[in-house]
Amino acid sequence: MTTPTTPTTPPPTPPARGRRRAPTRMERAAGRAAALQRPRVLLALLLLLALTCVMLLDGYLRAEVGGDQRVRTGASASDVPEDVLDGGPILSFPGGQATTVSVPDKTIVLTFDDGPDPTWTPQVLEILEKYDVPGTFFLVGSMVSRHPGIVRDMVEQGNEVGVHTFTHVDLSYQSQARVTREIEQTQLALAGAAGITTTLFRAPYSSQTDAIDNYSWPVYESLGEDGYTSVFIDTDSDDWKRPGVSKIVEWATPEDGEGASVLFHDAGGERSQTIEALPKYIEKMQAKGYTFTTVSGVMADQQSAGAGQASAGQAGAGPAGEQGLQAAHHRATGATRYEGKALIAAVAVAEWTVPALSVGLVIVGVAVMGRFAMMLVLARRHHRRRNRRGFGWGPPVTGPVSVIVPAYNEKECIEATLRSLARSTHPIEIIVVDDGSTDGTAEIAESLGLPGVRVVRQANAGKPAALNNGVRHARYDIVVMMDGDTVFEPDTVRHLVQPFADPAVGAVAGNAKVGNRRTLIGAWQHIEYVMGFNLDRRMYDLLRCMPTIPGAIGAFRREAVLQVGGMSHDTLAEDTDITIALHRAGRRVVYQEHARAWTEAPGSLGQLWSQRYRWSYGTMQALWKHRRCLTDKGPSGRFGRVGMPLVVLFQVVTPVFAPLIDVFTVYSMVFVDFRAALLAWLAVLAVQLVCAAYAFRLDGEKYRYLLMMPLQQLAYRQMMYLVLIHSCVTALTGGRLRWQKLKRTGEVGTPAGSTGTGTG
């Protein structure tokens, strides 16, 4: 019959019927912590949303989602008025009536499409400025938003700009909403870049009036009603074909004496021939007596001629030209200008963020692959060394040990935990430290009547305090610590304590296994435990820099625990905290793969979030607390030299950026190359499957759970990413979190037939 030992507080008195029980100090603290964490969860989600928006914007700048590359040819033009098809290149709708204007004789309207381009457009502007010739540039909105400075210089130089859509699509295939969006977004980009909007428009893939068909005509009519002037060409240089400088000059030259709207390109490809041909073309036309103007200059001259006024001849050289340029450009209103600047700023962020993330992806990819390689090589070496014939730590450890079970409201699990310990093949005493439970946990432990069990009661103070209390009550030099929801196999304690035959060993990490793996969430965590935790521990053990002894199963020399001051309340990860402290005290920490403990993993996403949030935040706290270990000297400084950098890289930095693999996969599938992106993602998954399969082989697990791994990568990893971001936000904002109690079901028991030789 067990008896409680020196209880620190009397058993709680049941509340009177009809009265609500007052919450404990831990419950009140947990409630306050939860209220404080909600804004940080929201901030973490907002960060993810911001990243998603930035990448979508960057992709949109390069190609509309589902990039529409269709170009319509050969459609009927039966609905298009004949005078439009046979008229001049400038189409407007004054009073709702389609009207065309031709370029006067001996006059050239020099137009450029598809810019601005950071390489070629500045060279074009330099040539135009040298010859004092104006140009009319039909700009792609996405390019304007990426290179606003070039557009600003273009306008200040006296050139004219027009809309060439935002993503350079054939508008005859697009809905009215898409057409409106293409125009409005380009106008916003112009407003943000140069503080203006424009009434000039040129549709992609429709340079001449004979390209107007029954599908595109409604677009021109609609834009005309909104006050836009559509600009076509008379002469095409076809410079995009790169036929040679002489051919470009020849093809851009109109019939002798005729005026023309002429097309060149300042973007959209390699334009060195255009740059070489442009000055030759200007000199040739000027030698023939031609003058250069803009679209607005032509329209202003026509209006002046209709009013009986003389033509100014060249835009910017007379009142009519100035009036025309002012008519095409309008100063953006305050709201439009600020919206445009916001667009430019957002694009600038996207233009910086995506390349930076690309570099980060390369670094993460190398780190992830390097980690997999390290784990495979070192885990194999660890397995062969520990399982070779004749391996031993020294004389068998047969003396009794103390097993400490901290418990807070563990009525569902405590019986299974204690009965599993009672079947231990190694002599033990069991100390149950009841941390102010209100569900009768202590009474259940006492009522079982198991030999060697002592129950110590204390006021609710948290897990570290419970463990320290257990260490103080322990009778033996070796103490085993476990969770109140964990189940040991009969040989677990015997395997766990054997490394203490080596006097240098101060602590031993056991092999924690997920017991409730029948659910999808449980199966995901099972994969994580076997691959992400135990394969890691083999690697760290061989490198002699084990970062964490799991709270579910770990053993310590009692005097080593007391030497470092016991379990600390400073962090949420008391297991990581004390492990690093033992390293710094010169103690060796090892991994014993044959010592298995079966624990109940969280059964819901909410519980899983709470647990992993505490783990990740607590790990950050422990790393920060022991940051001075980086400068520790001698053998005790090995963790600072080797372990700390690896833990920071593999448990903080890499997990934060690892989802970039998935994010860029989706980005590439949508905006770049679907097949190539999918194959790359599958290749990474294949490498992970190989590592997981090897980890399962080492642990004697069944491979069928690996069927869950692709789905785990798609869903589970993203949740872990959000948890880590949440932890980073909490760390940066100086938040605090108390030890949290997860809801348990008590469904985990000792696996049938478990003898310490492996189970699936």
Side-chain angles (χ1 to χ4, degrees):
M1 184 71 178
T2 59
T3 56
T5 303
T6 60
T8 57
T9 58
T13 302
R17 175 173 292 186
R19 295 182 60 187
R20 185 176 180 180
R21 176 181 62 83
T24 65
R25 182 166 62 91
M26 174 170 285
E27 290 170 337
R28 290 193 301 271
R32 290 193 299 270
L36 290 172
Q37 297 314 312
R38 291 188 190 101
R40 297 189 178 99
V41 174
L42 180 60
L43 183 56
L45 293 173
L46 288 176
L47 286 174
L48 178 63
L49 178 61
L51 176 61
T52 303
C53 291
V54 165
M55 298 196 69
L56 286 175
L57 175 60
D58 184 78
Y60 181 76
L61 293 175
R62 286 161 172 75
E64 180 82 4
V65 176
D68 192 344
Q69 303 298 322
R70 296 174 295 173
V71 179
R72 194 185 299 279
T73 58
S76 172
S78 58
D79 295 340
V80 184
E82 288 291 336
D83 55 347
V84 171
L85 294 174
D86 299 331
I90 302 174
L91 172 64
S92 60
F93 290 79
Q97 182 67 36
T99 303
T100 62
V101 176
S102 298
V103 179
D105 292 343
K106 289 287 186 174
T107 305
I108 295 293
V109 175
L110 205 53
T111 68
F112 299 87
D113 279 6
D114 299 345
D117 180 275
T119 300
W120 309 113
T121 304
Q123 296 183 58
V124 170
L125 292 176
E126 184 178 350
I127 294 170
L128 295 181
E129 185 175 29
K130 176 182 177 181
Y131 288 93
D132 194 23
V133 168
T136 302
F137 292 81
F138 290 92
L139 306 176
V140 177
S142 60
M143 300 293 287
V144 173
S145 61
R146 292 161 66 185
H147 308 293
I150 298 176
V151 179
R152 193 177 307 115
D153 293 342
M154 185 184 295
V155 173
E156 290 176 355
Q157 188 176 306
N159 297 289
E160 197 166 60
V161 299
V163 173
H164 199 45
T165 74
F166 196 82
T167 59
H168 203 273
V169 294
D170 188 340
L171 296 181
S172 66
Y173 282 104
Q174 311 308 322
S175 66
Q176 181 59 47
R178 172 72 181 274
V179 172
T180 301
R181 187 167 74 249
E182 290 282 336
I183 304 299
E184 289 181 348
Q185 288 174 342
T186 305
Q187 294 282 27
L188 277 180
L190 288 173
I196 63 165
T197 59
T198 181
T199 59
L200 301 183
F201 169 78
R202 175 177 287 166
Y205 314 109
S206 302
S207 57
Q208 295 181 314
T209 54
D210 60 8
I212 304 175
D213 55 37
N214 293 342
Y215 296 96
S216 60
W217 177 242
V219 174
Y220 293 111
E221 286 186 304
S222 175
L223 290 174
E225 292 173 359
D226 292 336
Y228 283 93
T229 297
S230 297
V231 182
F232 299 88
I233 64 169
D234 297 298
T235 305
D236 191 346
S237 69
D238 279 337
D239 57 340
W240 61 274
K241 297 178 180 178
R242 302 187 65 203
V245 173
S246 60
K247 286 293 185 182
I248 293 174
V249 173
E250 177 186 347
W251 293 345
T253 304
E255 296 292 335
D256 288 343
E258 293 184 1
S261 170
V262 183
L263 174 60
F264 286 87
H265 293 82
D266 63 320
E270 207 277 340
R271 295 289 175 254
S272 60
Q273 290 187 5
T274 302
I275 299 302
E276 187 177 351
L278 186 57
K280 297 181 182 298
Y281 176 74
I282 293 174
E283 291 173 358
K284 175 183 177 181
M285 301 313 295
Q286 287 178 337
K288 287 187 173 187
Y290 275 79
T291 58
F292 291 85
T293 186
T294 61
V295 173
S296 298
V298 171
M299 298 182 70
D301 287 346
Q302 186 207 40
Q303 292 172 3
S304 297
Q309 298 177 2
S311 173
Q314 180 163 338
E322 294 176 356
Q323 181 182 358
L325 188 60
Q326 292 171 1
H329 292 175
H330 300 282
R331 183 175 298 278
T333 62
T336 302
R337 191 164 187 170
Y338 285 121
E339 288 177 18
K341 287 184 178 296
L343 172 63
I344 299 296
V347 170
V349 171
E351 288 286 295
W352 175 86
T353 301
V354 173
L357 290 178
S358 300
V359 174
L361 177 63
V362 173
I363 296 173
V364 168
V366 171
V368 168
M369 293 304 172
R371 180 192 181 197
F372 288 154
M374 285 181 62
M375 286 195 303
L376 286 175
V377 172
L378 297 181
R380 182 174 183 270
R381 185 178 300 175
H382 179 276
H383 177 74
R384 294 180 64 181
R385 178 180 297 182
R386 292 294 172 84
N387 291 277
R388 68 188 177 193
R389 181 174 300 178
F391 173 81
W393 298 96
V397 176
T398 58
V401 301
S402 301
V403 179
I404 303 171
V405 185
Y408 173 71
N409 289 346
E410 300 284 3
K411 69 176 182 179
E412 295 88 357
C413 311
I414 193 65
E415 180 176 352
T417 297
L418 297 181
R419 290 194 183 281
S420 74
L421 291 173
R423 292 190 288 270
S424 175
T425 59
H426 193 91
I428 61 174
E429 70 160 346
I430 305 169
I431 304 171
V432 179
V433 183
D434 183 71
D435 186 42
S437 297
T438 58
D439 65 348
T441 296
E443 289 74 13
I444 294 173
E446 292 172 340
S447 67
L448 296 177
L450 298 174
V453 175
R454 287 188 289 153
V455 177
V456 177
R457 291 185 174 91
Q458 68 175 33
N460 179 243
K463 186 178 180 180
L467 291 171
N468 289 333
N469 200 1
V471 170
R472 287 192 293 271
H473 285 82
R475 295 192 178 109
Y476 304 110
D477 294 333
I478 296 176
V479 293
V480 174
M481 298 182 185
M482 64 185 298
D483 289 335
D485 61 348
T486 301
V487 169
F488 278 10
E489 296 176 2
D491 284 345
T492 294
V493 175
R494 178 175 64 84
H495 284 301
L496 189 62
V497 300
Q498 294 312 306
F500 289 108
D502 182 350
V505 173
V508 181
N511 189 345
K513 316 286 287 183
V514 175
N516 54 330
R517 59 181 72 168
R518 293 187 181 91
T519 65
L520 181 62
I521 297 177
W524 287 347
Q525 293 175 88
H526 173 48
I527 296 172
E528 182 186 26
Y529 271 59
V530 175
M531 178 186 174
F533 296 161
N534 293 332
L535 206 61
D536 263 354
R537 289 193 179 101
R538 295 176 191 273
M539 176 183 71
Y540 286 123
D541 187 6
L542 205 62
L543 296 175
R544 303 189 70 167
C545 57
M546 183 79 61
T548 303
I549 299 172
I553 175 171
F556 304 81
R557 291 191 190 276
R558 184 172 181 271
E559 52 97 8
V561 174
L562 296 175
Q563 177 188 357
V564 298
M567 294 290 177
S568 173
H569 292 79
D570 296 341
T571 74
L572 296 177
E574 71 286 335
D575 43 9
T576 300
D577 191 347
I578 194 171
T579 305
I580 299 176
L582 290 172
H583 279 297
R584 301 186 69 186
R587 302 283 182 165
R588 186 180 174 194
V589 181
V590 301
Y591 174 56
Q592 177 56 286
E593 62 190 89
H594 301 298
R596 295 176 174 85
W598 298 81
T599 186
E600 182 178 339
S604 68
L605 291 177
Q607 292 280 300
L608 179 61
W609 181 290
S610 296
Q611 183 195 66
R612 298 313 165 86
Y613 172 47
R614 180 175 62 83
W615 285 3
S616 60
Y617 183 46
T619 299
M620 292 178 191
Q621 288 178 309
L623 294 175
W624 180 254
K625 175 182 176 180
H626 293 282
R627 61 191 180 278
R628 297 188 185 279
C629 73
L630 292 170
T631 58
D632 288 347
K633 307 297 183 182
S636 62
R638 182 172 180 80
F639 182 82
R641 295 190 302 270
V642 181
M644 176 74 85
L646 289 178
V647 173
V648 171
L649 178 62
F650 292 153
Q651 295 189 25
V652 179
V653 177
T654 301
V656 166
F657 291 99
L660 285 177
I661 297 173
D662 302 315
V663 171
F664 270 91
T665 297
V666 175
Y667 175 88
S668 300
M669 285 180 175
V670 175
F671 297 113
V672 185
D673 187 326
F674 179 87
R675 182 179 179 184
L678 181 60
L679 290 175
W681 187 84
L682 290 175
V684 174
L685 178 62
V687 172
Q688 292 175 300
L689 278 170
V690 169
C691 291
Y694 186 65
F696 271 56
R697 178 173 176 268
L698 294 182
D699 265 22
E701 294 288 350
K702 294 180 180 179
Y703 295 118
R704 67 170 183 263
Y705 291 101
L706 295 180
L707 295 174
M708 303 288 188
M709 194 165 182
L711 185 59
Q712 183 205 42
Q713 297 302 301
L714 289 172
Y716 187 80
R717 184 165 63 187
Q718 309 313 316
M719 180 178 177
M720 295 301 101
Y721 159 73
L722 286 175
V723 168
L724 197 55
I725 291 295
H726 185 191
S727 302
C728 291
V729 171
T730 302
L732 292 174
T733 56
R736 294 285 182 179
L737 189 67
R738 291 291 302 272
W739 180 41
Q740 299 174 23
K741 165 67 180 172
L742 300 180
K743 183 179 180 180
R744 301 302 187 187
T745 63
E747 61 181 294
V748 176
T750 306
S754 292
T755 61
T757 59
T759 180

